[in-house]
């Protein structure tokens, strides 16, 4: 076990993962205001949207308008998901400088989410990554269902390692190993990261935990002990994938900051300002924000 790192980087995925699964239509102006407020709160990496098929995910259909509307703050990286070359072309036209491709470690989820086998998706992503890098963009990769699949159950860690290696081989600079449905436990996190460390640089691995079973924070702690220094999180704890039944939101940025601040681990992100940003969404959502920290604060009021 390593000593905990003094500093970590947060990747705020609330404007994408958080909003892609909401039943209520969130207007573009509210998305822009959220992204700007999250940047003001100190986030340096924000996933601001997805250039996916609007038929598949209507909540992300306004990605062009979101990117056109945000005032970009110096020092902040704004990224977007792209599933194919058509998505990359849309992103480049919208002035996006960082994209993410999203593969899966389980066949059924891959087909449900992007209508492709894992092998076909990786072949397509290699083309996307090559074109994106040639255009001067930064590229991130995701490996979904790394700890379990909503359709197949257990996922073989060897599959996760294979897909992670394939993403690095196509030139992505970081891979977000993702617990899509929130089934991971810390023992699994230690084991998978130790196995990955044999062939993959862990400094280039991010962890993306959904918090369905309340294990996301302890999973982050386990990952910190293995030397991981980049974590995805979502303002208010919103999130979920429309093609992953039963998945709850990502670990809430507020809850994660409560733990990291308490441990003395620097992030540069201000918890009160993130909370205020999340709260502005509440009237449009039609349900309480999932963050336990925000719910505890509401109960005290
Ligand atoms: P398909 O239907 O197989 O694709 O979808 P197609 O190539 O046959 O195209 C069908 C139609 O979509 C055509 O239009 C295309 O032009 C259009 P039509 O001729 O019918 O009018 N199209 C597009 N339009 C706009 N932008 C595009 C685009 N591509 C095609 N980029 C496809 C395949 C991949 C497009 C579809 O399955 C898709 O968009 N899937 C995305 C699903 C998604 O966004 N899921 C959520 C994000 S992933 C996630 O949440 C997990 C993550 O958080 C990590 C974790 O937690 O695990 C990242
Ligand atoms: Mg996710």
């Amino acid at each position: 076990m390593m000593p905990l790192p003094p500093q970590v980087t947060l990747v705020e995925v609330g404007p994408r993962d958080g909003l892609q699964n909401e039943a209520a239509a969130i207007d573009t102006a509210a998305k822009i205001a959220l992204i700007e407020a999250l940047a003001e709160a100190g986030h340096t990496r924000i996933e601001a949207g997805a250039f996916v098929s609007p038929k598949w995910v209507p909540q992300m259909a306004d990605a062009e308008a979101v990117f056109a509307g945000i005032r970009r703050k110096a020092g902040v990286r704004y990224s977007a998901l792209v599933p194919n070359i058509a998505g990359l072309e849309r992103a480049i036209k919208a002035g996006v400088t960082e994209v993410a491709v999203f593969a899966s470690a389980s066949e059924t989820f891959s087909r449900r989410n992007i209508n492709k086998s894992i092998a076909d998706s990786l072949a397509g992503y290699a083309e996307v990554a090559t074109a994106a890098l040639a255009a001067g963009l930064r590229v991130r990769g995701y490996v979904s269902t790394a700890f379990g699949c909503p359709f197949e159950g257990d996922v073989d860690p060897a599959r996760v390692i294979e897909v992670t290696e394939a993403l690095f081989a196509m030139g992505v600079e970081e891979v977000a190993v993702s617990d899509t449905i929130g089934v991971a436990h810390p023992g699994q996190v230690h084991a998978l990261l130790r196995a990955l460390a044999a062939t993959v640089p862990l400094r280039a691995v991010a962890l993306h935990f959904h918090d369905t079973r309340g294990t996301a924070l302890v999973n982050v702690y386990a990952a910190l002990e293995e030397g991981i220094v980049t974590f995805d999180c979502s303002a208010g704890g919103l999130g979920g994938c429309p093609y992953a039944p039963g998945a709850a939101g990502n670990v809430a940025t507020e809850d994660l900051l409560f733990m990291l601040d308490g441990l003395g681990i620097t992030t540069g992100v201000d918890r009160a300002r993130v909370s205020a940003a999340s709260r502005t969404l509440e009237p449009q959502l039609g349900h309480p924000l999932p963050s336990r920290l925000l719910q505890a604060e509401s109960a005290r009021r």
Side-chain angles (χ1 to χ4, degrees):
M1 241 55 86
M2 294 192 197
L4 300 187
Q7 190 178 339
V8 300
T9 300
L10 302 187
V11 180
E12 172 60 62
V13 299
R16 193 280 302 170
D17 202 322
L19 299 184
Q20 72 182 9
N21 205 33
E22 284 301 315
I26 309 296
D27 57 57
T28 306
K31 293 180 182 176
I32 292 168
L34 173 69
I35 293 163
E36 291 184 349
L38 292 169
E40 289 307 318
H43 274 298
T44 53
R45 295 184 59 185
I46 302 177
E47 199 165 76
F51 292 88
V52 296
S53 161
K55 286 181 195 145
W56 283 64
V57 186
Q59 294 89 334
M60 293 287 114
D62 59 352
E64 276 87 356
V66 168
F67 273 92
I70 50 175
R71 191 172 10 94
R72 295 185 200 207
K73 191 179 168 212
V76 179
R77 292 163 56 182
Y78 302 89
S79 65
L81 291 191
V82 296
N84 50 22
I85 291 284
L88 175 66
E89 285 170 355
R90 285 177 60 202
I92 290 174
K93 224 169 144 193
V96 175
T97 54
E98 178 164 339
V99 292
V101 295
F102 46 108
S104 169
S106 80
E107 283 297 344
T108 315
F109 182 75
S110 182
R111 288 184 188 280
R112 300 281 180 113
N113 196 38
I114 49 172
N115 204 19
K116 287 184 187 70
S117 67
I118 297 172
D120 286 352
S121 77
L122 291 174
Y125 287 147
E127 285 177 28
V128 172
T130 302
L133 293 169
L137 275 67
R138 306 180 81 135
V139 187
R140 171 185 234 219
Y142 282 92
V143 183
S144 287
T145 64
F147 298 92
C149 169
F151 309 106
E152 296 179 16
D154 292 345
V155 169
D156 183 352
R159 263 332 237 161
V160 182
I161 294 168
E162 236 172 76
V163 177
T164 305
E165 288 173 350
L167 288 167
F168 277 120
M170 62 182 79
V172 312
E173 66 179 70
E174 176 179 275
V175 173
V177 173
S178 302
D179 184 15
T180 312
I181 54 170
V183 283
H185 59 76
Q188 220 181 344
V189 174
H190 283 299
L192 180 61
L193 290 176
R194 284 174 195 177
L196 269 172
T199 54
V200 158
L202 286 192
R203 287 199 78 76
V205 169
L207 269 283
H208 175 106
F209 291 116
H210 284 262
D211 201 16
T212 317
R213 290 166 181 78
T215 51
L217 280 181
V218 74
N219 288 335
V220 169
Y221 196 92
L224 287 167
E225 289 183 320
E226 295 298 331
I228 297 294
V229 288
T230 309
F231 293 95
D232 291 8
C233 53
S234 169
L238 296 172
C241 174
Y243 299 99
N250 295 86
V251 64
T253 309
E254 293 88 342
D255 301 9
L256 181 56
L257 285 170
F258 182 80
M259 181 178 86
L260 296 175
D261 290 349
L263 290 167
I265 296 175
T266 306
T267 61
V269 184
D270 183 273
R271 180 158 56 87
R273 294 179 88 167
V274 173
S275 300
S278 304
R279 294 269 191 215
T280 61
L281 282 177
E282 238 168 355
Q284 288 203 47
L285 294 173
H287 63 79
L289 292 160
S291 158
R292 286 183 177 77
L293 193 102
L294 293 182
Q295 289 184 8
E297 277 177 14
S298 298
R300 274 210 322 269
R301 281 183 184 160

